[in-house]
């Protein structure tokens, strides 16, 4: 049995605001804190961390800070929110990251003893930083503490709702799976969690606005479309992932809660669900 907390670990007032990016005028960094029976606390993605808040331009890069305008507030970091929920951050024994972009891996140094689960191709890309794009998106300070990496490979695992491969993760219950969805980055993955009789699928940055996976009439805000294409390592894979997620939503008739890392509306619906009348 897993209990789920939804955390926004980096609110971003992105340039372009309501008209071009999101109707609420800001984006979130949607992370999950999972309470498990035998594996302690598990964090899915980490947002930005306390070191980033202390020195945002140096830690996150001038480009990220200028374009995304993150709210610099230590209370929003995962470690402070874990404490605010009454937990000891030392009990976060595992972190599963969808990928290692600055706004997903920034909190890693706040959990220096946690095992960090990531796709082997993502880890290799972040260590190599082979292209200009990758030198900007991956910040070495986020793993300078030497995380205990747990790397899962391509091509091994079980099928999951039409996806060919889903990986069980070492030391974690079978209700937590990584589902590779490369494209945004070389080793980007979604994370599936079975809790409360339902599956959640944290799709990371496989898309950025819920309209992208809602159906054929795409009304994805233009700034989001442009951004998504400009940062993608493989645009065709990104589009294929959109299609696969749309198919998943249709095939499961809403039985899987699919959400991405940054859509504010999706976050609010899951973090504060409307009460039935
Ligand atoms: Zn992101």
């Amino acid at each position: 049995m897993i209990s789920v907390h939804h955390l926004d670990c980096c609110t971003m007032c992105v340039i372009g605001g309501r008209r071009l990016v999101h109707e609420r005028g800001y984006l979130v960094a949607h992370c999950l804190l999972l309470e498990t029976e035998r594996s302690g606390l598990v964090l899915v993605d980490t947002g930005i961390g306390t070191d980033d808040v202390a020195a945002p331009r140096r830690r996150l890069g001038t480009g990220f800070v200028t374009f995304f305008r993150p709210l610099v507030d230590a209370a929003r970091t995962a470690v402070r929110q874990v404490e605010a929920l009454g937990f000891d951050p030392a009990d976060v024994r595992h972190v599963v990251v969808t990928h290692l972009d600055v706004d997903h891996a920034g909190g890693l140094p706040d959990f220096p003893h946690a095992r960090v689960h990531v796709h082997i191709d993502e880890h290799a890309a972040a260590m190599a930083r082979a292209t200009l794009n990758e030198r900007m998106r991956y910040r070495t300070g986020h793993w300078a503490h030497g995380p205990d990496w747990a790397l899962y490979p391509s091509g091994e695992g079980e099928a999951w709702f039409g996806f060919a491969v889903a990986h069980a993760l070492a030391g974690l219950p079978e209700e937590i799976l990584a589902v590779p969805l490369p494209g945004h980055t070389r080793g980007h993955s979604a994370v599936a969690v079975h809790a409360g009789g339902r599956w959640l699928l944290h799709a990371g940055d496989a898309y950025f606005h819920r309209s992208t996976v809602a159906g054929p009439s795409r009304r994805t805000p233009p700034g989001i479309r442009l951004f998504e294409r400009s940062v993608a390592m493989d645009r065709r894979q990104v589009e294929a992932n959109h299609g696969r997620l749309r198919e998943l939503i249709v095939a499961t008739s809403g039985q899987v809660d699919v959400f991405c890392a940054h859509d504010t509306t999706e976050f609010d619906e899951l973090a504060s669900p409307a009460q039935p009348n």
Side-chain angles (χ1 to χ4, degrees):
M1 181 69 186
I2 292 179
S3 299
V4 181
H5 304 268
H6 295 267
L7 314 177
D8 169 17
C9 298
C10 180
T11 301
M12 295 170 274
C13 304
V14 190
I15 284 181
R18 284 188 168 75
R19 202 164 55 82
L20 299 178
V21 177
H22 193 282
E23 56 277 17
R24 300 277 185 91
Y26 64 97
L27 300 177
V28 295
H30 194 155
C31 303
L32 303 177
L33 180 68
L34 309 176
E35 296 178 59
T36 72
E37 285 174 3
R38 286 201 288 276
S39 303
L41 298 172
V42 180
L43 197 56
V44 178
D45 275 353
T46 69
I48 66 172
T50 52
D51 291 342
D52 303 326
V53 169
R57 284 183 187 273
R58 180 170 61 79
R59 294 283 298 188
L60 302 169
T62 299
F64 178 83
V65 172
T66 303
F67 184 74
F68 285 96
R69 297 192 291 187
L71 209 65
V72 178
D73 178 2
R76 292 294 179 111
T77 59
V79 67
R80 293 289 100 84
Q81 293 195 62
V82 167
E83 289 169 347
L85 286 165
F87 299 116
D88 182 347
D91 289 335
V92 176
R93 286 160 41 194
H94 298 266
V95 176
V96 186
V97 281
T98 58
H99 60 304
L100 290 167
D101 271 358
V102 57
D103 53 320
H104 299 256
L108 289 179
D110 291 328
F111 303 94
H113 305 298
R115 194 145 208 231
V116 180
H117 301 260
V118 64
H119 194 284
I120 193 167
D121 293 347
E122 184 66 13
H123 179 265
M127 297 306 118
R129 301 170 81 221
T131 66
L132 178 61
N133 177 340
E134 288 167 316
R135 282 192 285 282
M136 290 175 70
R137 71 196 311 162
Y138 298 129
R139 307 293 291 184
T140 55
H142 290 156
W143 37 86
H145 60 287
D148 174 17
W149 300 109
L151 308 180
Y152 51 87
S154 302
E156 296 173 17
E158 304 287 317
W160 184 84
F161 285 112
F163 290 83
V165 177
H167 296 277
L169 299 168
L172 289 177
E174 60 188 13
E175 290 93 346
I176 305 174
L177 300 169
V179 183
L181 282 179
H184 176 66
T185 60
R186 297 179 204 251
H188 180 278
S189 297
V191 180
V193 179
H194 195 252
R198 293 176 65 80
W199 280 99
L200 294 169
L201 186 69
H202 187 315
D205 288 1
Y207 68 97
F208 287 81
H209 190 276
R210 64 200 180 287
S211 60
T212 307
V213 295
S217 62
R218 311 226 179 91
R219 291 198 299 272
T220 306
I224 286 289
R225 279 207 305 271
L226 185 67
F227 171 74
E228 186 169 33
R229 287 176 62 80
S230 67
V231 298
M233 292 306 293
D234 186 327
R235 292 177 185 174
R236 287 177 61 181
Q237 277 189 313
V238 165
E239 286 183 15
N241 291 341
H242 294 167
R244 295 171 76 192
L245 290 168
R246 276 196 292 273
E247 285 169 17
L248 171 70
I249 292 166
V250 171
T252 57
S253 315
Q255 291 306 299
V256 179
D257 287 324
V258 178
F259 58 95
C260 68
H262 298 304
D263 189 298
T264 309
T265 304
E266 286 181 341
F267 177 80
D268 287 347
E269 287 174 357
L270 287 162
S272 315
Q275 299 300 314
N277 292 321

PDB file of all heavy atoms in Angstrom, residues 41 82 113 119 141-142 191 226 231 233 245 253 260 271 277:
ATOM      1  N   LEU A  41      10.507   6.404   2.413  1.00  0.00           N
ATOM      2  CA  LEU A  41       9.918   7.433   1.551  1.00  0.00           C
ATOM      3  C   LEU A  41      10.624   7.415   0.203  1.00  0.00           C
ATOM      4  O   LEU A  41      11.835   7.229   0.112  1.00  0.00           O
ATOM      5  CB  LEU A  41      10.070   8.810   2.188  1.00  0.00           C
ATOM      6  CG  LEU A  41       9.366   9.022   3.533  1.00  0.00           C
ATOM      7  CD1 LEU A  41       9.775  10.372   4.136  1.00  0.00           C
ATOM      8  CD2 LEU A  41       7.849   8.949   3.366  1.00  0.00           C
ATOM      9  N   VAL A  82       9.023  18.037   2.610  1.00  0.00           N
ATOM     10  CA  VAL A  82       9.040  16.751   3.324  1.00  0.00           C
ATOM     11  C   VAL A  82       9.000  17.017   4.829  1.00  0.00           C
ATOM     12  O   VAL A  82       8.231  16.393   5.583  1.00  0.00           O
ATOM     13  CB  VAL A  82      10.303  15.944   2.934  1.00  0.00           C
ATOM     14  CG1 VAL A  82      10.523  14.769   3.879  1.00  0.00           C
ATOM     15  CG2 VAL A  82      10.188  15.452   1.491  1.00  0.00           C
ATOM     16  N   HIS A 113      21.878  10.815   0.759  1.00  0.00           N
ATOM     17  CA  HIS A 113      22.014   9.385   1.046  1.00  0.00           C
ATOM     18  C   HIS A 113      20.982   8.543   0.293  1.00  0.00           C
ATOM     19  O   HIS A 113      20.953   7.316   0.463  1.00  0.00           O
ATOM     20  CB  HIS A 113      21.887   9.144   2.554  1.00  0.00           C
ATOM     21  CG  HIS A 113      22.868   9.959   3.341  1.00  0.00           C
ATOM     22  ND1 HIS A 113      24.236   9.825   3.200  1.00  0.00           N
ATOM     23  CD2 HIS A 113      22.687  10.964   4.240  1.00  0.00           C
ATOM     24  CE1 HIS A 113      24.860  10.688   3.987  1.00  0.00           C
ATOM     25  NE2 HIS A 113      23.936  11.395   4.627  1.00  0.00           N
ATOM     26  N   HIS A 119      17.340   6.187 -15.885  1.00  0.00           N
ATOM     27  CA  HIS A 119      17.665   5.372 -17.061  1.00  0.00           C
ATOM     28  C   HIS A 119      19.147   5.523 -17.393  1.00  0.00           C
ATOM     29  O   HIS A 119      19.698   6.625 -17.316  1.00  0.00           O
ATOM     30  CB  HIS A 119      16.799   5.812 -18.237  1.00  0.00           C
ATOM     31  CG  HIS A 119      16.824   4.841 -19.376  1.00  0.00           C
ATOM     32  ND1 HIS A 119      17.886   4.747 -20.237  1.00  0.00           N
ATOM     33  CD2 HIS A 119      15.923   3.921 -19.783  1.00  0.00           C
ATOM     34  CE1 HIS A 119      17.643   3.800 -21.130  1.00  0.00           C
ATOM     35  NE2 HIS A 119      16.448   3.283 -20.885  1.00  0.00           N
ATOM     36  N   GLY A 141      26.615  20.555 -10.689  1.00  0.00           N
ATOM     37  CA  GLY A 141      26.490  20.732  -9.242  1.00  0.00           C
ATOM     38  C   GLY A 141      25.399  19.870  -8.628  1.00  0.00           C
ATOM     39  O   GLY A 141      25.416  19.596  -7.427  1.00  0.00           O
ATOM     40  N   HIS A 142      24.466  19.418  -9.449  1.00  0.00           N
ATOM     41  CA  HIS A 142      23.350  18.628  -8.924  1.00  0.00           C
ATOM     42  C   HIS A 142      23.748  17.194  -8.586  1.00  0.00           C
ATOM     43  O   HIS A 142      22.993  16.478  -7.943  1.00  0.00           O
ATOM     44  CB  HIS A 142      22.178  18.657  -9.909  1.00  0.00           C
ATOM     45  CG  HIS A 142      21.521  20.007  -9.984  1.00  0.00           C
ATOM     46  ND1 HIS A 142      20.804  20.456 -11.057  1.00  0.00           N
ATOM     47  CD2 HIS A 142      21.508  21.034  -9.084  1.00  0.00           C
ATOM     48  CE1 HIS A 142      20.363  21.682 -10.836  1.00  0.00           C
ATOM     49  NE2 HIS A 142      20.784  22.058  -9.637  1.00  0.00           N
ATOM     50  N   VAL A 191       7.114   7.625 -14.831  1.00  0.00           N
ATOM     51  CA  VAL A 191       7.122   6.796 -13.631  1.00  0.00           C
ATOM     52  C   VAL A 191       5.676   6.445 -13.293  1.00  0.00           C
ATOM     53  O   VAL A 191       4.833   7.339 -13.137  1.00  0.00           O
ATOM     54  CB  VAL A 191       7.790   7.524 -12.442  1.00  0.00           C
ATOM     55  CG1 VAL A 191       7.781   6.641 -11.205  1.00  0.00           C
ATOM     56  CG2 VAL A 191       9.223   7.931 -12.802  1.00  0.00           C
ATOM     57  N   LEU A 226       6.555  25.646 -29.105  1.00  0.00           N
ATOM     58  CA  LEU A 226       7.873  26.097 -29.569  1.00  0.00           C
ATOM     59  C   LEU A 226       8.973  25.610 -28.625  1.00  0.00           C
ATOM     60  O   LEU A 226      10.005  25.083 -29.055  1.00  0.00           O
ATOM     61  CB  LEU A 226       7.873  27.627 -29.654  1.00  0.00           C
ATOM     62  CG  LEU A 226       9.114  28.280 -30.231  1.00  0.00           C
ATOM     63  CD1 LEU A 226       9.255  27.934 -31.710  1.00  0.00           C
ATOM     64  CD2 LEU A 226       9.032  29.804 -30.069  1.00  0.00           C
ATOM     65  N   VAL A 231      13.806  22.206 -27.340  1.00  0.00           N
ATOM     66  CA  VAL A 231      14.684  21.519 -26.384  1.00  0.00           C
ATOM     67  C   VAL A 231      14.742  20.009 -26.610  1.00  0.00           C
ATOM     68  O   VAL A 231      15.561  19.327 -25.991  1.00  0.00           O
ATOM     69  CB  VAL A 231      14.283  21.790 -24.913  1.00  0.00           C
ATOM     70  CG1 VAL A 231      14.393  23.269 -24.604  1.00  0.00           C
ATOM     71  CG2 VAL A 231      12.901  21.252 -24.609  1.00  0.00           C
ATOM     72  N   MET A 233      15.537  16.338 -27.710  1.00  0.00           N
ATOM     73  CA  MET A 233      16.679  15.656 -28.313  1.00  0.00           C
ATOM     74  C   MET A 233      16.245  14.901 -29.561  1.00  0.00           C
ATOM     75  O   MET A 233      17.049  14.655 -30.454  1.00  0.00           O
ATOM     76  CB  MET A 233      17.309  14.684 -27.308  1.00  0.00           C
ATOM     77  CG  MET A 233      17.989  15.363 -26.130  1.00  0.00           C
ATOM     78  SD  MET A 233      19.228  16.594 -26.606  1.00  0.00           S
ATOM     79  CE  MET A 233      20.491  15.558 -27.359  1.00  0.00           C
ATOM     80  N   LEU A 245       0.656   8.333 -25.383  1.00  0.00           N
ATOM     81  CA  LEU A 245      -0.035   8.732 -24.148  1.00  0.00           C
ATOM     82  C   LEU A 245      -1.518   8.978 -24.418  1.00  0.00           C
ATOM     83  O   LEU A 245      -2.370   8.632 -23.596  1.00  0.00           O
ATOM     84  CB  LEU A 245       0.639   9.973 -23.556  1.00  0.00           C
ATOM     85  CG  LEU A 245       2.038   9.703 -22.985  1.00  0.00           C
ATOM     86  CD1 LEU A 245       2.776  11.000 -22.686  1.00  0.00           C
ATOM     87  CD2 LEU A 245       1.959   8.833 -21.724  1.00  0.00           C
ATOM     88  N   SER A 253      -9.747   4.450 -20.494  1.00  0.00           N
ATOM     89  CA  SER A 253     -10.967   5.196 -20.134  1.00  0.00           C
ATOM     90  C   SER A 253     -10.792   6.000 -18.860  1.00  0.00           C
ATOM     91  O   SER A 253     -11.652   5.985 -17.979  1.00  0.00           O
ATOM     92  CB  SER A 253     -12.157   4.257 -19.956  1.00  0.00           C
ATOM     93  OG  SER A 253     -12.228   3.332 -20.974  1.00  0.00           O
ATOM     94  N   CYS A 260       1.722  15.427 -16.479  1.00  0.00           N
ATOM     95  CA  CYS A 260       3.111  15.778 -16.775  1.00  0.00           C
ATOM     96  C   CYS A 260       3.682  16.580 -15.605  1.00  0.00           C
ATOM     97  O   CYS A 260       2.987  16.857 -14.626  1.00  0.00           O
ATOM     98  CB  CYS A 260       3.199  16.555 -18.089  1.00  0.00           C
ATOM     99  SG  CYS A 260       2.470  18.200 -18.021  1.00  0.00           S
ATOM    100  N   ALA A 271      -3.594  17.354  -6.619  1.00  0.00           N
ATOM    101  CA  ALA A 271      -3.169  17.728  -5.272  1.00  0.00           C
ATOM    102  C   ALA A 271      -4.354  18.119  -4.392  1.00  0.00           C
ATOM    103  O   ALA A 271      -4.338  17.878  -3.186  1.00  0.00           O
ATOM    104  CB  ALA A 271      -2.178  18.887  -5.342  1.00  0.00           C
ATOM    105  N   ASN A 277     -20.177  15.918  -4.783  1.00  0.00           N
ATOM    106  CA  ASN A 277     -21.337  16.565  -4.153  1.00  0.00           C
ATOM    107  C   ASN A 277     -22.179  15.538  -3.402  1.00  0.00           C
ATOM    108  O   ASN A 277     -22.256  14.415  -3.763  1.00  0.00           O
ATOM    109  CB  ASN A 277     -22.206  17.236  -5.229  1.00  0.00           C
ATOM    110  CG  ASN A 277     -21.470  18.414  -5.856  1.00  0.00           C
ATOM    111  OD1 ASN A 277     -20.790  19.141  -5.141  1.00  0.00           O
ATOM    112  ND2 ASN A 277     -21.584  18.554  -7.164  1.00  0.00           N
TER     113      ASN A 277
END
